[in-house]
Amino acid sequence: MYWMNAFRRAGWNFSLDRAVAWSVELNRPLVVFETLPCGRRWDSVRHHRFVLDGMAENARRFDRPGVLYHPYVEATPGAAREAALALGRHACVVVTDDFPLREHVSQIDAVARRLGTLIEAVDSNGLLPLRAADRVFPTAHSFRRFLQRTLPEHLLDRPRRDPLARIRLPPCPSLVSESGVLQHGRTAERPPIAPAAVVGLPIDRTVPPAGTPGGSQAAARAWKRFLAENLAKYPAGRNHPDDDVTSGLSPYLHFGHLSAHEVFAALAEAEDWTPGRLGERADGSSEGWWGMSPPAEAFLDELVTWRELGFTMTARRDDYDRFESLPDWAQQTLAEHARDPREYVYSLDEFERAQTHDRLWNAAQTQLVREGRLHNYLRMLWGKKILQWTATPRDAIEVMIELNNKYALDGRDPNSYSGIFWVLGRYDRPWGPKRPIFGTVRYMSSANTARKVRVKQYLRKYGQTQ
């Protein structure tokens, strides 16, 4: 049994590879049991619809002899965990996904303690295995140096594009007849899964679908479009909201509809790249080491360095979403300035409704609420202003986490916690001179941002009249 709950894809997936290998070795059919929990903080129509799109696609992809795909949309909190436990007791082996966030790990641990069957959690998060990193890294530069020393031995170890190709497995019985627990969840036997699948679920209905389709096919379309149209423009245009040349892949990476290995393989093919082009010096430079074109290297620094830096953090520190996880210098300078006067202090409701005095900030918040995404550069400004306009740094953390995880399609992700805590100094260094509220934490202003990057079209699209 493959209990799919993070890497929601039918290929480029080490967890699925492992489950298929067990099925072949033991000559047993494969059950792919994909679960979608409900009732957790920030569960919403927006996030559920995105996952359901992928479930509908997986139902088609896993329609093969010897494989039974069963999507399980939890109707009451905890039911999916109990269903996985009951089904797991019928299995020879249970394989599941090793995703390094607290709520995910606790769910797997709760089942493992009661199961009585071998359960394996498999890492298919990024190019660098989570266990290959030996510590938490304080900066992107230090992590990049480690990557440049360590990653080459793992680059050719890729999951299979289609692990079920040319595989013959015995027929699989109906799960409903084997285990009555499935009646407590909403199954999605035939795609497409209707929007009515979310009716009556204990999820937030105030956050509607964002208009971005979920699933591996949508992810592949977004990736191919970026590769063909925007990669060459990426280094010069990625910071300019008006240009909008970013990849848009983060929701697909977060929900497991897309693999970093798949992206890297396609990029390497487009660049006619071989491992022999890797640089020999592990000096932490963000340019030149990959042996690819400057646009490809700039993109890989985001996909690999910055994304996986966050994963190593959440895999090793349980306090990744708390003030105490900040570097000592940042905690000290923010504490020293915690009582500095604030010209503006907004409530969570005012932030959420984009009702500040700052038109550019309001535009960024409007994009987040409307589309479930924030332009990468404006995400930094968005966070810095929340720090400036809340009563304390701890309040700022709470506001950023709440708004990001509630509205962003890539929220509740190790990488999104990296972005939030970068605002308060994580992965950064002290910057002088000292400023009120910020101390030596890096400062940003809307006026300087508007001078540095192109935002006129962005403001016309998302701006609000004050």
Side-chain angles (χ1 to χ4, degrees), residues 10 52 124 127 146 149 166 183 208 218 236 275 293 323 402 425:
L52 286 167
S124 196
L127 301 189
F146 178 83
R149 292 194 303 269
R166 297 181 294 279
Q183 65 186 339
S293 66
F323 180 82
E402 176 65 23

Side-chain angles (χ1 to χ4, degrees), residues 12 127 155 158 161 220 223-235 247 249 258-275 277-278 290-305:
W12 298 95
L127 301 189
L155 276 179
R158 297 177 182 174
R161 183 188 303 269
W223 164 233
K224 289 177 182 177
R225 183 168 55 250
F226 172 74
L227 188 60
E229 299 175 8
N230 288 332
L231 177 62
K233 309 172 190 174
Y234 184 73
S247 70
L249 299 182
L258 182 68
S259 165
H261 285 92
E262 180 179 3
V263 173
F264 180 77
L267 185 60
E269 182 178 356
E271 293 274 319
D272 194 24
W273 178 89
T274 64
R277 291 167 59 180
L278 290 173
W290 289 99
M292 296 193 189
S293 66
E297 298 223 349
F299 175 70
L300 284 175
D301 201 47
E302 296 296 326
L303 175 73
V304 182
T305 303

Side-chain angles (χ1 to χ4, degrees), residues 119-277:
I119 182 170
E120 298 180 340
V122 178
D123 170 14
S124 196
N125 292 287
L127 301 189
L128 182 77
L130 288 175
R131 304 307 183 270
D134 55 0
R135 61 190 181 279
V136 172
F137 295 86
T139 63
H141 182 267
S142 63
F143 182 58
R144 201 180 288 114
R145 289 183 62 190
F146 178 83
L147 276 175
Q148 291 168 355
R149 292 194 303 269
T150 310
L151 189 57
E153 65 184 280
H154 300 286
L155 276 179
L156 296 182
D157 184 18
R158 297 177 182 174
R160 297 174 62 187
R161 183 188 303 269
D162 184 0
L164 290 165
R166 297 181 294 279
I167 296 292
R168 297 178 62 88
L169 299 175
C172 190
S174 167
L175 292 185
V176 176
S177 64
E178 289 292 316
S179 175
V181 296
L182 290 188
Q183 65 186 339
H184 300 300
R186 300 188 182 184
T187 63
E189 303 290 352
R190 298 178 182 85
I193 299 173
V198 300
V199 172
L201 297 180
I203 60 178
D204 188 347
R205 302 187 180 285
T206 67
V207 186
T212 301
S216 294
Q217 289 181 338
R221 287 194 297 269
W223 164 233
K224 289 177 182 177
R225 183 168 55 250
F226 172 74
L227 188 60
E229 299 175 8
N230 288 332
L231 177 62
K233 309 172 190 174
Y234 184 73
R238 61 177 170 172
N239 287 342
H240 296 282
D242 285 357
D243 294 356
D244 197 18
V245 299
T246 54
S247 70
L249 299 182
S250 58
Y252 301 109
L253 292 165
H254 167 65
F255 281 108
H257 294 159
L258 182 68
S259 165
H261 285 92
E262 180 179 3
V263 173
F264 180 77
L267 185 60
E269 182 178 356
E271 293 274 319
D272 194 24
W273 178 89
T274 64
R277 291 167 59 180

